[in-house]
Amino acid sequence: PAKTWQVALCGTLQLLIFLGYSYLAALVIGQGYEWVSAGTGVLDIYLRSALSAFTLFLFLFTIPILAKWILIGRWKPRQIRIWSLAYVRFWVVKTLVRRNPIILFTGSPLFNLYLRALGAKVGRGVVILSNHVPICTDLLSIGDGTIIRKDSFINGYRAHGNFIHVGQISIGKNAVISEATVIDI
């Protein structure tokens, strides 16, 4: 079991990271607002708004990918002790990946592109309708023509005995994963 100071340190780091990311996001949004407000005329404001929204989406799209590759690198089957610094890195990546607005594009090729950028092996013609984004993507393989229905969970990890266990998930070709299914490592 973790010691009290480990839990306090982990919680403090999580709070600081959350506040830092919130500040960064607010700064980006504020800069975009100021730039759009400086526009003159309806067309200029419209074009600035569209470019600002695209830039914000690109920022929110790429931050989780960069965080995953910087903090984790490639996922490997392993155990992560809860309330450790490795757990904080896991938590940061998990939170950013799951809170990404790309979830609004489930079922589209853009969502599959996002998973590939995170390291997943996603085959051709795969349709993922679940808004529960896999976390340990380097260990995820989905065969061609597979359909993953909504409310399915394919996390790539599980918590057990004060550890996060990270493992591989392979789904074959032309498989259908039904609604409300949990696929474990």
Side-chain angles (χ1 to χ4, degrees):
K3 295 177 177 37
T4 304
W5 69 268
Q6 291 173 309
V7 175
L9 177 63
C10 186
T12 302
L13 288 173
Q14 288 173 315
L15 178 64
L16 291 174
I17 291 166
F18 171 75
L19 293 174
Y21 183 74
S22 298
Y23 176 75
L24 180 63
L27 191 64
V28 168
I29 291 169
Q31 290 295 321
Y33 176 76
E34 286 181 16
W35 185 66
V36 169
S37 297
T40 57
V42 175
L43 182 60
D44 187 35
I45 291 173
Y46 173 76
L47 292 174
R48 285 176 179 238
S49 296
L51 185 59
S52 180
F54 176 75
T55 304
L56 179 62
F57 178 78
L58 195 61
F59 170 78
L60 293 173
F61 181 79
T62 56
I63 287 294
I65 297 168
L66 291 173
K68 184 261 182 195
W69 288 108
I70 292 169
L71 295 175
I72 303 293
R74 287 212 172 270
W75 287 106
K76 296 178 176 96
R78 62 182 278 203
Q79 294 181 4
I80 301 170
R81 180 175 292 283
I82 296 178
W83 307 118
S84 66
L85 292 177
Y87 174 75
V88 172
R89 291 194 330 259
F90 169 82
W91 175 84
V92 168
V93 170
K94 180 182 91 158
T95 302
L96 290 174
V97 166
R98 288 242 168 104
R99 300 297 174 242
N100 195 326
I102 197 69
I103 292 171
L104 300 172
F105 294 92
T106 56
S108 75
L110 188 59
F111 188 73
N112 292 353
L113 177 67
Y114 176 62
L115 291 179
R116 287 184 186 115
L118 288 169
K121 294 163 201 73
V122 180
R124 291 185 181 160
V126 170
V127 178
I128 301 173
L129 301 170
S130 175
N131 59 1
H132 303 285
V133 183
I135 302 303
C136 305
T137 47
D138 294 302
L139 300 172
L140 175 64
S141 175
I142 303 172
D144 296 344
T146 294
I147 298 173
I148 300 173
R149 303 290 305 213
K150 68 178 190 149
D151 297 327
S152 297
F153 290 85
I154 306 171
N155 293 328
Y157 72 93
R158 67 173 165 224
H160 180 73
N162 292 325
F163 287 95
I164 300 291
H165 301 269
V166 175
Q168 188 167 357
I169 294 177
S170 294
I171 301 171
K173 292 182 179 180
N174 300 317
V176 176
I177 308 300
S178 297
E179 293 182 16
T181 299
V182 176
I183 297 185
D184 202 0
I185 58 175

